[in-house]
Amino acid sequence: MKQYVGLDVSQKETSVCVVSETGQVIFEGKTKSDPGDRTAVIRKHAPHAARIGFETGSMASWLWHELRRVDLPVVCIDARHAHAALSVRMNKSDQNDARGLAELVRVGWYREVKVKSEESQKKARRKPEESQRIRSMLVARSRLVGIRRDIENQVRSMIKEYGLLFRRAVGLQFRNEVDLLVGEGHRSVPSSSHSCWSTDRYASSKASSTTRYVAKLSLTKRPVVSRPAGRRRGDGLDVPSHGR
C-alpha cells in the first residue's frame, strides 16, 4: 500500500505525517531537522512512500537535494498555494500543517515548484559575495534612513507641543531649525535625541555615498548596447517603414 508524507520543516524540528491511500493517518510525530533523522523516520513509517511533500522556504532547496540523494520521491509545493489550502483548517499547528501537506500530495491538489540542480545553483553563485554585499548595504542604508526619519518625526511632535511651528527641513537644515526654535539644552528636545540624530545622519550619509559609488561603478561596467544597423532618414540610408 502506498503512503504519502507531509513535512512541516523548521530549523530545529520537523513535523511528520504519514497517510495511506484512503487518507487514514498512519503516523504523526516530530524529528530533528537533520537529513539522516528525517530519512530514518520516513523509511520506518512510510517504506512505500509515493510522494513526500513540503513547502518552499529557505531550507527547501537543501532539503530537496538531501532527500533526493537517498532516492526519496520528494516534491516541493508552492508555499502560497499550500497556505491557501491549509488556512481552512480550524487549528493552526505544525502537526496539522504536516497532515494538510500529506493530504495535498495524496489527492494531487498542489502546485509543484521545480528546484534547480546543484550545477545550476553553482553557476548562479559565481559572484555571491558581491551581490550579498550590495544587498546588505542597501538594506542597512534603508534602515538607517528610516531610523533618522523616525527621530525627526519624534522631534517635530515634541516641538509642536510647545506651540512652535517647524518648517520643512532636511539634513543639517533640520538641526539648525531645531536649534533656532528651542535652543541648546531645551527640555522639549532631550540631548539624547540630538546625539542619536547626528550619529544616524553621519552613518546614513556615509552609506548613501557608498551606494552612489557602487551604482556609478555598475553603470560603467554595464555593456554598451550598439544601435541597430542603419541610420535615420536623411543620412543616406533608407529606414524601412513598417506597414507599407
Side-chain angles (χ1 to χ4, degrees), residues 118-134:
E118 293 182 344
E119 295 182 358
S120 299
Q121 292 181 7
K122 289 180 180 179
K123 291 181 180 179
R125 294 171 183 170
R126 289 179 178 176
K127 296 183 179 180
E129 295 181 358
E130 182 178 357
S131 301
Q132 183 64 29
R133 182 178 63 86
I134 295 175

Side-chain angles (χ1 to χ4, degrees), residues 28 35 37 39 84 109 152 171 185 226 235:
E28 282 184 321
D37 294 339
T39 302
W109 291 350
E152 291 176 354
S226 60
D235 291 340

Side-chain angles (χ1 to χ4, degrees), residues 4 17 25 57 63 82 134 156-157 169 172:
Y4 299 88
C17 181
V25 177
L63 176 60
I134 295 175
R156 285 190 176 95
S157 64
L172 286 177

